[in-house]
Amino acid sequence: MRLSTLAGLLLAATLSAVGACAQAGELVVIVSAHNPVTTLRADQVADIFLGESMRFPDGAEVQALDQALNTPLRNEFYQKVASRTPALMKAYWTKRIFTGRGQPPRELSSSMAVRKAVAENPGAIGYVERAAVDASVRVVMVVN
């Protein structure tokens, strides 16, 4: 086999594996299957998780649930949805707490814990890997 053919096959296999890993780790925003909300925009999700909005678009109260501090999933979520690094998020919440303008979302230990809490509370919203989604929750946004 020629070296160029072997290199081409190796590149194709690598790209395929990278694509499969990216899809398996896809980040999604979820609500309870009993929540009437079917879709949310990134700005709406950001407002909820930054404490700027305490309600879903239909007016129902919302409770945001976060992943554990300093986890890759949480860092990716805030970077992609709110365009903020962990350091910026820490500064943001320090200021909001100090000025009495809010408290950060409650933290849970894993995607499974977030999914379970969201499934049990129609007013909750969280984010998990797509692999953690089951029929008890509904995906309302794919994080890109």
Side-chain angles (χ1 to χ4, degrees):
M1 186 179 295
R2 291 182 34 197
L3 186 57
S4 62
T5 305
L6 182 58
L9 290 172
L10 186 57
L11 177 62
T14 301
L15 291 175
S16 176
V18 168
C21 288
Q23 189 171 11
E26 188 175 47
L27 187 58
V28 295
V29 178
I30 58 170
V31 297
S32 169
H34 301 291
N35 186 314
V37 173
T38 58
T39 186
L40 291 171
R41 298 184 316 266
D43 64 314
Q44 293 170 315
V45 171
D47 285 349
I48 290 168
F49 278 88
L50 294 174
E52 298 290 332
S53 177
M54 305 308 287
R55 299 192 176 278
F56 283 111
D58 68 357
E61 286 189 30
V62 65
Q63 177 191 15
L65 301 174
D66 241 337
Q67 296 281 341
L69 189 62
N70 295 323
T71 59
L73 195 65
R74 179 173 171 153
N75 295 346
E76 178 185 358
F77 174 78
Y78 282 104
Q79 183 64 52
K80 290 182 175 180
V81 173
S83 300
R84 294 175 192 232
T85 64
L88 287 173
M89 286 306 302
K90 182 176 181 175
Y92 177 83
W93 282 112
T94 299
K95 181 179 179 181
R96 286 192 61 98
I97 291 167
F98 181 75
T99 59
R101 294 182 46 215
Q103 293 290 318
R106 188 177 82 176
E107 289 179 25
L108 297 173
S109 62
S110 68
S111 288
M112 297 306 156
V114 170
R115 184 196 68 216
K116 184 176 187 289
V118 168
E120 293 172 353
N121 179 355
I125 187 170
Y127 54 93
V128 299
E129 302 95 344
R130 185 178 288 280
V133 173
D134 66 11
S136 68
V137 296
R138 175 182 306 117
V139 173
V140 292
M141 188 186 104
V142 176
V143 177
N144 293 319

